[in-house]
């Protein structure tokens, strides 16, 4: 029985499934992403905050129907993220300087130090890097880049065995005009997908620090 | 006819005494009606389709508390296979269990951190009791205490007691040696043929509780 308790105690996972949408047929590989990397580096420097709405669709082989949810997303420099699911359930995740706070649908809050969990830390960092544009510097994933007329597509493949066991890869879509994130797709190893789309994106607005309190 | 009736009563009493001696049952007023349990089994929730719960697991290990949340999806497929999938609110599948129509159990997928036999067996048992899967018909029996009726099934260790009032499940207890070590506590009584909307699964010995709240307005769409 102690084994069960130990498992629950060490199981601190907050995974943002970013849907990986596998319609990459019209995308061409960017063989030399130097210019693209510079574009994203400029984005990192020029983006101090982001606020957006998001929708999430989970496609499961088990279910004929998809599971829909929606909420709001906030990012503030440095390393602050707030993801708030509002429908059909309430679920709040706040990341702030390595600290993770989660509040579930039943109103219970839980604070986690991500420094103790490599996988949790990696997943948290992906979200921050995707939103801030720092994605090419992420050490936990191999990044390959593609483009079509309208978008950049970055495919993130996990390097570590632990993260590989959680999902296959993540595809991140950015608007070519302003390098704003449009979509996150996560492909799970079992073939399920989670599709997160961002809309009504506002950048460099004044966001209160209270949004990112981890308590 | 009379001899046959007494023989059945004696047989039922013998079964009960055997269990009382070897398995330490609590003091029930026993009714030797082993056949009546078939009625209870026939009314299990067989066509609940898809049930989605907001799920949390709370516990305490020493002085440390832990909390895990997500969505629990219980699904009956057209081929009579039953699935239990637990995923994070953000969509990542943490585990996926399957019960074939022939009652065989399979772990379809599970993340490494949860891939521990004691945990899998504990969750398997919880879901089987909740959905009335793989109940051992042999040596099961019915008891009555006033208006309350209990249907009791043997487990690998101990027994499970479904307590009913007017065909609705009031609670479910898993016990052994006169001690209850798991309690299934619905917020309200529910029909035998359905799954509860809100229920807590309290593991008294292991000191953790699984709380399930049905997402009533969560109608998946194509």
């Amino acid at each position: 029985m102690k084994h069960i308790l130990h498992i629950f105690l060490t199981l601190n996972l907050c995974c943002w499934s970013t849907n990986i949408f596998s319609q990459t047929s019209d995308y061409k590989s960017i063989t030399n992403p130097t210019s693209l990397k510079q574009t994203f580096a400029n984005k990192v420097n020029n983006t101090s905050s982001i606020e957006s709405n998001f929708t999430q669709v989970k496609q499961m082989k088990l279910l004929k129907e998809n599971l829909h949810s929606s909420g709001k997303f906030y990012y503030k420099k440095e390393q602050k993220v707030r993801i708030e699911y509002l429908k059909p359930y309430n679920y709040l995740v706040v990341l702030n300087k390595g600290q993770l706070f989660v509040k579930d649908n039943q109103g219970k809050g839980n604070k986690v130090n991500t420094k103790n969990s490599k996988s949790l830390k990696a997943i948290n960092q992906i979200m921050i890097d995707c939103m801030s544009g720092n994605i090419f510097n992420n050490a936990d994933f191999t990044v390959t880049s593609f483009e079509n007329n309208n978008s950049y597509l970055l495919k993130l493949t996990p390097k570590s065995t632990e993260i590989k066991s959680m999902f296959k890869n993540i595809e991140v879509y950015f608007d070519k005009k302003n390098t704003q994130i449009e979509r996150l797709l996560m492909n799970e190893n079992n073939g399920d997908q989670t599709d997160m789309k961002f809309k009504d994106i506002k950048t460099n607005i004044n966001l209160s620090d209270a949004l990112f309190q981890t308590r | 006819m009379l001899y046959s009736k007494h023989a059945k009563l004696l047989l039922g009493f013998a079964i009960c005494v055997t269990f009382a001696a070897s398995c330490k049952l609590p003091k029930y007023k026993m009714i030797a009606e082993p056949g009546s349990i078939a009625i209870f089994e026939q009314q299990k929730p067989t066509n609940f389709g898809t049930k989605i719960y907001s799920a949390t697991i709370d516990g305490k290990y020493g002085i440390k508390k832990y909390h895990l949340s997500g969505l629990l999806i219980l699904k009956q497929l057209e081929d009579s296979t039953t699935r239990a999938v637990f995923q994070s609110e953000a969509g990542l599948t943490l585990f996926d269990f399957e019960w074939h129509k022939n009652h065989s159990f399979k772990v379809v997928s599970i993340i490494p951190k949860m891939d521990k036999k004691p945990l899998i067996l504990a969750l398997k048992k919880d879901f089987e009791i909740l959905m009335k899967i793989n109940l051992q018909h042999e040596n099961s029996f019915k008891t009555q205490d006033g208006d309350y009726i209990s249907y009791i099934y043997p487990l690998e260790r101990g027994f499970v007691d479904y307590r009913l009032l007017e065909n609705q499940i009031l609670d479910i207890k898993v016990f052994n040696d006169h001690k209850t070590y798991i309690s299934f506590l619905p917020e309200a009584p529910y029909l035998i043929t359905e799954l509860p909307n809100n229920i807590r699964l309290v593991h008294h010995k292991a000191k953790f509780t699984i709380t399930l709240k049905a997402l009533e307005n969560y109608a998946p769409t194509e």
Side-chain angles (χ1 to χ4, degrees), chain A residues 30-79:
Chain A
I30 300 174
T31 50
N32 186 355
T34 305
S35 173
L36 182 62
K37 287 183 181 179
Q38 186 58 52
T39 301
F40 276 90
N42 292 339
K43 177 182 166 69
V44 172
N45 293 329
N46 297 331
T47 302
S48 62
S49 66
I50 299 172
E51 175 185 331
S52 80
N53 296 320
F54 73 85
T55 58
Q56 181 177 293
V57 177
K58 177 73 188 276
Q59 301 172 21
M60 297 175 68
K61 286 183 178 177
L62 173 66
L63 301 176
K64 291 180 184 176
E65 311 86 359
N66 296 329
L67 301 177
H68 292 251
S69 53
S70 62
K72 290 191 75 70
F73 177 91
Y74 303 87
Y75 162 78
K76 185 174 181 179
K77 221 172 183 178
E78 305 274 349
Q79 306 279 315

Side-chain angles (χ1 to χ4, degrees), chain A residues 2 25 44 85 92 136 143:
Chain A
K2 282 186 179 179
S25 56
V44 172
Y85 287 80
L92 173 65
F136 281 101
V143 182

Side-chain angles (χ1 to χ4, degrees), chain B residues 104-123:
Chain B
S104 61
F105 171 77
K106 174 184 168 186
V107 177
V108 177
S109 69
I110 192 165
I111 59 170
K113 282 195 174 181
M114 297 188 83
D115 192 6
K116 312 293 177 188
K117 192 174 179 181
L119 174 61
I120 293 170
L121 291 177
L123 293 172

Side-chain angles (χ1 to χ4, degrees), chain A residues 142-155:
Chain A
T142 302
V143 182
T144 50
S145 46
F146 304 83
E147 64 179 340
N148 66 8
N149 291 336
N150 301 313
S151 302
Y152 293 117
L153 161 60
L154 301 184
K155 279 193 179 180

Side-chain angles (χ1 to χ4, degrees), chain A residues 1-18 56 58 60-69 85 87-91 102-106 108-110 112 116-120 123 161-162 165-167 186 188 190 192-194 196, chain B residues 50 52 54-61 64-71 73 75 77-78 83-85 87-94 96 109-119 122-123 203 205-208 210-213 215 217-222:
Chain A
M1 201 54 73
K2 282 186 179 179
H3 296 289
I4 298 172
L5 297 173
H6 181 68
I7 290 161
F8 284 144
L9 194 62
T10 57
L11 187 65
N12 295 306
L13 291 175
C14 183
C15 305
W16 296 278
S17 302
T18 55
Q56 181 177 293
K58 177 73 188 276
M60 297 175 68
K61 286 183 178 177
L62 173 66
L63 301 176
K64 291 180 184 176
E65 311 86 359
N66 296 329
L67 301 177
H68 292 251
S69 53
Y85 287 80
K87 290 180 182 178
Y89 46 78
N90 293 309
Y91 181 64
V102 173
K103 193 173 182 181
D104 62 34
N105 191 49
Q106 295 172 28
K108 290 188 179 175
N110 189 33
V112 177
N116 296 328
S117 171
K118 285 184 183 177
S119 59
L120 187 54
I123 291 161
T161 307
E162 187 175 0
S165 69
M166 292 163 59
F167 52 85
M186 183 175 76
E188 294 184 55
N190 62 3
D192 292 347
Q193 292 183 337
T194 309
M196 205 174 190
Chain B
T50 304
I52 301 177
S54 165
T56 60
I57 303 174
D58 291 283
K60 198 175 177 182
Y61 183 61
K64 290 185 179 179
K65 294 182 181 179
Y66 56 85
H67 179 81
L68 177 67
S69 69
L71 299 177
I73 300 164
K75 172 83 175 178
L77 304 179
E78 290 172 357
R83 298 278 284 276
V85 178
Q87 60 184 229
S88 70
E89 287 88 342
L92 185 71
T93 301
L94 302 179
D96 183 351
S109 69
I110 192 165
I111 59 170
K113 282 195 174 181
M114 297 188 83
D115 192 6
K116 312 293 177 188
K117 192 174 179 181
L119 174 61
L123 293 172
H203 288 248
K205 194 175 177 182
K207 295 182 182 174
F208 71 89
I210 301 173
T211 303
L212 303 178
K213 292 195 173 184
L215 294 176
N217 298 318
Y218 191 30
T221 56
E222 290 285 347

Side-chain angles (χ1 to χ4, degrees), chain B residues 119-196:
Chain B
L119 174 61
I120 293 170
L121 291 177
L123 293 172
K124 172 181 178 285
K125 183 161 76 177
D126 282 355
F127 295 137
E128 286 182 346
I129 290 171
L130 186 67
M131 294 188 286
K132 291 164 67 181
I133 295 173
N134 286 345
L135 296 177
Q136 292 183 43
H137 179 78
E138 189 177 351
N139 298 325
S140 59
F141 58 95
K142 171 185 171 183
T143 72
Q144 187 159 355
D145 182 9
D147 293 331
Y148 299 95
I149 295 176
S150 281
Y151 293 96
I152 298 172
Y153 291 82
L155 300 173
E156 193 173 319
R157 289 177 61 190
F159 296 86
V160 58
D161 174 0
Y162 292 85
R163 195 167 70 110
L164 278 72
L165 180 65
E166 296 179 354
N167 217 38
Q168 290 193 315
I169 296 176
L170 296 178
D171 57 44
I172 307 168
K173 299 284 174 73
V174 177
F175 64 90
N176 195 18
D177 294 338
H178 298 282
K179 288 181 183 175
T180 298
Y181 61 91
I182 308 174
S183 296
F184 290 66
L185 305 172
E187 193 174 78
Y190 61 99
L191 293 174
I192 300 170
T193 52
E194 296 177 354
L195 289 173

